[in-house]
Amino acid sequence: MTAPLGQSKPIVVPVALGARSYDIVIGRELLASLGVRIKTLRPGARVAIVTDETVAAHHLAATETALKAAGIDGARILVPAGEGSKSYATFEKVCEAIIAARVERNDLIVALGGGVIGDLAGFAASCVRRGLDFVQVPTTLLAQVDSSVGGKTGINSRQGKNLIGAFHQPALVIADTALLDTLPKREFRAGYAEVAKYGLLGDAAFFAWLEKNWQDVFAGGSAREHAIAVCCRAKAGIVGRDEHETGERALLNLGHTFGHALEAGCGFSSRLLHGEAVALGIALAFEFSAKKGLIAASDAARASTHLAAVSLPTQVKDVPGGVPPVDVLMDLIAQDKKVRRGSLTFILVRGIGEAFIEKNVDATEVRAFLTDKLK
Ligand SMILES: NC(=O)c1ccc[n+]([C@@H]2O[C@H](COP(=O)([O-])OP(=O)(O)OC[C@H]3O[C@@H](n4cnc5c(N)ncnc54)[C@H](O)[C@@H]3O)[C@@H](O)[C@H]2O)c1
Ligand SMILES: [Zn+2]
């Protein structure tokens, strides 16, 4: 299938959360309609756009043009690109800049960027004036399928990632799939790990579709829009049923327990991007499930074959510079998840598309598995 790159009708995915419900609008070249959509959502509102310097260079002018065309007045707040901006210092600057821009209770914050900007601007929106509404305009694949939806916002503590934050749902999400054309290939690929995750955790038919169509998703036609919409529908469904992660929402952490430990073990450096760590973590979660006799070895092989086909890491040896020893990884796993008398919580699988929450994973079993993998 060679998908056309032209404009087609946007796909709308509703997130049903009572009074806090909102739409995710997905389509190519949607950014031009941002002003009109904001005007419809909140007539008379002013906006403050929070973005990073890299995204600003590519997409800020078009964003401001779209707002101006609808007669919307907007301030711009720029922060440096990268995870380092999810800090107290940058958070303070963003909050002060929002107040200085005279953004009031009825106005809107626009988060234009990847997961870093969505988390930072969303958290600032949740705090300034005890809560401002905000619009997510995600510009990475990861942000379009994951971080812009569901209302988790926050910054990093010196003691760990995402430890300071709030649940604050956006009022609207505009996912323009054309914005991903400027994203470096490696970042796109890392975001794709989260796309594959949705198939592997709960939708075997979608995973089979990805196995056939992933090249078209990368190419950017209607297959990309379709894939993003499937992921957003899945996340919207889960968040609608379990907004505050007391149960089912934890399934979205498939691959993340091993993944976070590896990511932290590499010092959150460019050696291993979050999505790359997730791909490797998913491959390990499948292998671990096979080792426990929950799935056939062929299912584990199928998951990692697909991730490897898109050039994502699936083996510990794929990490440039290597990973830390088992003791360090086990400490990181214990920090990441609640440990109760030597038991860990993991997302395991009973098949492709059949993830479940296992609260009683024996830490010694995990240690033995990782020791074997690190040989
Ligand atoms: N809130 C949630 O539910 C949730 C879920 C998953 C991840 N996250 C968070 O998301 C963050 C990672 O997000 P990310 O991977 O989007 O990282 P990011 O926001 O740092 O973006 C990655 C890089 O791509 C650049 N970039 C972004 N859009 C671009 C574009 N269209 N063209 C060119 N360059 C572009 C950015 O400047 C940055 O350098 C982490 O902090 C993670 O904790 C949050
Ligand atoms: Zn993730």
Side-chain angles (χ1 to χ4, degrees), residues 117-185:
I117 290 299
D119 282 10
L120 172 71
F123 184 44
S126 81
C127 291
V128 175
R129 297 185 191 278
R130 297 197 180 83
L132 297 167
D133 283 343
F134 79 118
V135 174
Q136 289 269 21
V137 184
T139 64
T140 63
L141 181 56
L142 179 135
Q144 294 196 352
V145 299
D146 193 358
S147 61
S148 69
V149 176
K152 281 191 187 174
T153 71
I155 57 173
N156 301 326
S157 145
R158 271 174 282 279
Q159 299 177 67
K161 254 181 74 105
N162 300 327
L163 291 179
I164 316 293
F167 281 98
H168 187 52
Q169 299 291 344
L172 176 68
V173 181
I174 300 291
D176 180 342
T177 57
L179 301 185
L180 307 181
D181 292 349
T182 58
L183 194 63
K185 248 296 165 22

Side-chain angles (χ1 to χ4, degrees), residues 8-32:
S8 51
K9 217 168 162 267
I11 304 169
V12 179
V13 177
V15 184
L17 285 167
R20 283 166 293 106
S21 297
Y22 55 95
D23 284 340
I24 308 163
V25 190
I26 302 154
R28 210 176 163 84
E29 269 133 43
L30 269 185
L31 189 63

Side-chain angles (χ1 to χ4, degrees), residues 142 146 194 197 252-254 256 260 263 274-275 278:
L142 179 135
D146 193 358
E194 307 276 6
K197 180 188 79 177
L252 297 170
N253 296 333
L254 174 65
H256 282 63
H260 278 156
E263 202 183 354
H274 173 76
V278 168

Side-chain angles (χ1 to χ4, degrees), residues 141-142 145 187-197 207 210-211 213-215 217-218 227 275 306-307 310 312:
L141 181 56
L142 179 135
V145 299
E187 292 285 352
F188 190 93
R189 216 184 289 128
Y192 183 84
E194 307 276 6
V195 174
K197 180 188 79 177
F207 184 71
L210 287 173
E211 287 178 309
N213 296 290
W214 68 268
Q215 271 137 327
V217 176
F218 277 69
H306 178 59
L307 295 168
V310 309
L312 281 163

